Amino acid sequence: MGSIASKSTEGSNDDVIEQIVCKENDIPDNGMQEFEIGNNGNKVLVVKQNNEFFAVGSKCSHYGAPLVKGALGNNTVRCPWHGACFNLKTGDIEDFPGLDSIPSFKVSVTNGNVKVSAKKCALENAKFVKPLTKRNPENKLTFIVIGSGPAGTECVEKLRQEGFDGRLILITKDSYLPYDRTKLSKALSSEASGILLRSQPFYESGDIELLTKTSVESIDTSTKVVYLSNNEQLTFDALFIASGMTPRSTPEVSKYDNVFTLRTIEDAHKIHQSLSSDCHLVIVGSSFIGMELAAATFSKVKSVHVIGRSDVPFKESLGKEIGERIQELFESKGVVFHMKTSVKNYIGYNNRLSEIELSDGQKLKADVCIMATGSKTNVEFLAGSNIAINSSNGTIEVDKNLETNVKGIFAGGDVANAPVYPSNIKSSLGHWQLATYHGKVAALQMLGKKTPIKSVPFFWTALFGTSIRFAGFNRGHTDVIINGDLENFKAVVYYCKGNEVVAVATVGSDPIAAQFAELLGSGRTLNKEQAIDNKWLIEEEDTVVCTRL
């Protein structure tokens, strides 16, 4: 519907546009609709819930997905692509990925007309960055965050956004300000400036001290002192450990100059510079990093060979059905797989790898090799401390508040063995979204604002133009239900544990993964009978939240 009436109130950056966008009954309860407002093509999302109207920015602050195609929750709207969740009243980001909120606008209803009042500057900016508190010299508290991944980055931001005005220090071994690591395996040539999460002035605006190229050597938990590689000692009142993981390798293979792992910008650049049109590339590992690298590098090299221990790629994370179809896609592009095998020997000379011998005796020419065989936790600096480490996987044990066994010391992200919502089974999940959420929760806990973990794991990948979304936790699932056409990449895969659906993966079926995350997040469950033919969606299709596949 076009505008019925509009009014512009001038006043520099506070220019306000007031516009009647629709009639009160044009949007059903628990429905949402996009409206253009003003004369510059800007849009707002208007939501009606419990007979109350809300208006927020129309695009997700992460990658700009249209929120009107997402999933409505209780006073929230969830992005259809990657599951980020925003508060309808304030626009605040409540679940991730992304760091920014979206603008919210005033809505009034008069004589059946729904009117939105919006500042022009807010309309023109899809993202809203909440202001950071400045440091107060009178506050003698010191909070330290170790690690500049999504958990650490969100933690320092949330602390300042929530009013912490003591000393705040972020320590990272990386050479750069916090950046989006998820883009490295998709665009090896990325420059740091293009993938930074925040700028230097942003951190300065909140008096956040960033110590780059600095590692933590040890922690004395009794005196609450952190010992750094630059010989500095820092005393803390609260500590958040989000040190992440390091890609696995072995001395046997890491001695070669043309063998790489991928974690940092420097790693990505080295790989990119080593590739050429006559290069034979071998990737050891068939999960996310390995497969994304295979897709990203295929057009740049002469051949790509992938070595994997399982039957099909992604078997541990996405299951055999999707793994088989993805392997077929890659093979149609010319990628060669060597599955259910392992490396017997790395053959080279003068610090250069030349061949890889497989367990079946086959030898592969290898001008460049990328090791994508998993990661190990960065916890060496905790040796000698009182912080409990899980003996089976090397993660840091935390409780439902992300607190370790040492009071005042928290851990989150990949390095933490934390409860996974809603099952509360402990696990370490390498998801960007969940790690960011851990950073938010840890910040609130450090401030004494007890906040339960209530985030449904959500991850995604894009391979040769095919996007896969995943929501839930399918550890220990017993069977799957496939609806749709997996052959043509338009399907929903339900992972079941007994009679309960514990996770979904979707291809070409947005926003169903977001809808499932919203369903679990609201405390509901889904059984196998409801999943067959997507009955749960059809049962709720009277709302905008759910869409028939």
Side-chain angles (χ1 to χ4, degrees):
M1 173 182 289
S3 62
I4 298 173
S6 64
K7 176 183 177 182
S8 179
T9 305
E10 301 300 325
S12 66
N13 289 333
D14 290 330
D15 288 358
V16 174
I17 294 176
E18 294 181 342
Q19 182 171 311
I20 295 173
V21 294
C22 66
K23 290 290 187 180
E24 187 175 7
N25 295 325
D26 288 343
I27 301 178
D29 198 44
N30 209 37
M32 53 184 170
Q33 192 171 335
E34 239 182 21
F35 296 97
E36 193 168 307
I37 185 169
N39 299 317
N40 295 321
N42 297 311
K43 295 179 179 179
V44 298
L45 179 69
V46 177
V47 178
K48 184 180 182 182
Q49 201 165 70
N50 298 321
N51 290 314
E52 185 177 1
F53 284 88
F54 307 92
V56 293
S58 65
K59 295 181 179 180
C60 175
S61 62
H62 182 225
Y63 275 2
L67 294 176
V68 71
K69 295 184 179 180
L72 276 179
N74 184 21
N75 290 320
T76 60
V77 61
R78 190 179 292 269
C79 171
W81 293 352
H82 306 124
C85 194
F86 303 92
N87 188 293
L88 290 174
K89 293 183 178 179
T90 63
D92 289 352
I93 187 167
E94 295 190 349
D95 204 345
F96 307 90
L99 294 170
D100 299 316
S101 298
I102 57 176
S104 62
F105 309 107
K106 181 180 177 181
V107 185
S108 59
V109 180
T110 306
N111 297 326
N113 293 323
V114 179
K115 182 172 69 175
V116 175
S117 300
K119 290 184 178 180
K120 285 185 177 180
C121 58
L123 274 175
E124 293 167 358
N125 293 286
K127 301 179 181 181
F128 173 67
V129 183
K130 296 188 72 175
L132 306 182
T133 301
K134 300 287 287 185
R135 183 182 176 187
N136 176 6
E138 300 299 316
N139 187 341
K140 302 305 180 183
L141 293 176
T142 297
F143 286 3
I144 293 177
V145 175
I146 301 173
S148 61
T153 301
E154 171 61 18
C155 185
V156 293
E157 287 196 27
K158 194 66 176 177
L159 284 168
R160 284 298 194 229
Q161 290 169 353
E162 291 292 316
F164 176 67
D165 59 3
R167 188 181 183 191
L168 182 55
I169 306 167
L170 177 66
I171 303 169
T172 175
K173 292 189 292 186
D174 220 301
S175 304
Y176 302 94
L177 300 178
Y179 57 88
D180 188 347
R181 293 189 195 277
T182 67
K183 295 182 178 179
L184 295 182
S185 56
K186 301 174 182 67
L188 291 168
S189 59
S190 295
E191 295 300 323
S193 59
I195 60 175
L196 291 182
L197 296 172
R198 297 296 192 201
S199 66
Q200 182 67 40
F202 173 85
Y203 293 106
E204 292 173 353
S205 74
D207 293 325
I208 300 170
E209 300 176 43
L210 265 74
L211 302 181
T212 58
K213 301 180 182 179
T214 305
S215 60
V216 176
E217 298 297 299
S218 62
I219 298 174
D220 188 325
T221 52
S222 58
T223 59
K224 291 191 172 182
V225 174
V226 169
Y227 296 86
L228 305 181
S229 56
N230 61 6
N231 296 320
E232 190 176 355
Q233 300 176 18
L234 297 173
T235 302
F236 63 87
D237 296 281
L239 174 69
F240 179 49
I241 303 171
S243 48
M245 295 191 171
T246 297
R248 292 188 183 279
S249 188
T250 63
E252 174 192 11
V253 68
S254 58
K255 65 183 179 182
Y256 295 117
D257 295 338
N258 55 336
V259 176
F260 306 94
T261 57
L262 177 62
R263 175 172 171 78
T264 67
I265 290 176
E266 291 91 344
D267 294 336
H269 287 174
K270 287 178 182 177
I271 294 172
H272 176 71
Q273 291 164 6
S274 72
L275 302 179
S276 63
S277 59
D278 60 350
C279 170
H280 295 277
L281 171 64
V282 177
I283 298 173
V284 184
S286 60
S287 194
F288 287 92
I289 296 296
M291 295 296 283
E292 288 179 353
L293 282 170
T297 58
F298 179 74
S299 63
K300 301 178 175 67
V301 297
K302 188 170 185 177
S303 70
V304 176
H305 289 250
V306 175
I307 302 169
R309 290 181 177 272
S310 58
D311 299 352
V312 295
F314 296 118
K315 184 176 181 180
E316 293 78 11
S317 53
L318 297 175
K320 185 175 182 179
E321 294 78 11
I322 290 182
E324 284 179 341
R325 183 64 190 94
I326 292 296
Q327 182 171 335
E328 291 173 359
L329 170 65
F330 275 63
E331 288 174 336
S332 73
K333 304 293 183 180
V335 176
V336 180
F337 285 86
H338 307 271
M339 304 303 294
K340 297 179 68 174
T341 188
S342 59
V343 176
K344 180 180 179 181
N345 192 23
Y346 294 93
I347 303 167
Y349 58 94
N350 294 336
N351 296 323
R352 296 283 298 178
L353 178 70
S354 58
E355 284 185 314
I356 291 178
E357 183 181 3
L358 303 181
S359 55
D360 62 5
Q362 185 178 1
K363 291 183 179 180
L364 306 177
K365 182 174 174 58
D367 298 310
V368 175
C369 175
I370 302 175
M371 303 296 293
T373 53
S375 303
K376 61 183 183 67
T377 53
N378 293 323
V379 295
E380 296 86 353
F381 62 94
L382 297 180
S385 75
N386 295 321
I387 298 173
I389 303 296
N390 184 294
S391 58
S392 63
N393 59 17
T395 55
I396 302 171
E397 290 287 357
V398 297
D399 62 15
K400 63 181 181 180
N401 301 311
L402 296 181
E403 193 165 25
T404 69
N405 60 306
V406 180
K407 187 174 178 59
I409 298 181
F410 303 82
D414 302 0
V415 78
N417 195 40
V420 179
Y421 182 84
S423 68
N424 288 323
I425 297 171
K426 280 192 170 185
S427 185
S428 169
L429 300 180
H431 302 342
W432 188 266
Q433 164 265 338
L434 190 60
T436 313
Y437 185 87
H438 279 182
K440 166 190 167 180
V441 170
L444 295 171
Q445 310 289 22
M446 292 165 80
L447 294 172
K449 300 177 181 180
K450 297 299 182 183
T451 305
I453 296 174
K454 197 178 178 182
S455 176
V456 177
F458 198 110
F459 65 83
W460 64 94
T461 189
L463 305 163
F464 289 117
T466 298
S467 293
I468 301 172
R469 326 278 190 209
F470 182 99
F473 183 49
N474 64 346
R475 184 73 52 82
H477 75 276
T478 54
D479 58 330
V480 299
I481 296 172
I482 302 176
N483 293 330
D485 184 359
L486 189 54
E487 178 64 27
N488 290 304
F489 292 117
K490 188 172 180 60
V492 182
V493 178
Y494 294 90
Y495 302 86
C496 306
K497 195 172 185 179
N499 191 45
E500 184 180 355
V501 177
V502 294
V504 302
T506 70
V507 285
S509 303
D510 293 339
I512 293 177
Q515 291 167 210
F516 181 76
E518 191 56 49
L519 180 139
L520 293 189
S522 67
R524 292 180 289 167
T525 58
L526 192 66
N527 62 45
K528 292 171 73 171
E529 176 62 29
Q530 292 170 306
I532 295 172
D533 296 327
N534 300 316
K535 290 176 184 176
W536 68 286
L537 299 176
I538 298 169
E539 289 169 359
E540 300 183 4
E541 69 176 352
D542 59 315
T543 70
V544 180
V545 183
C546 298
T547 309
R548 185 192 298 265
L549 180 62

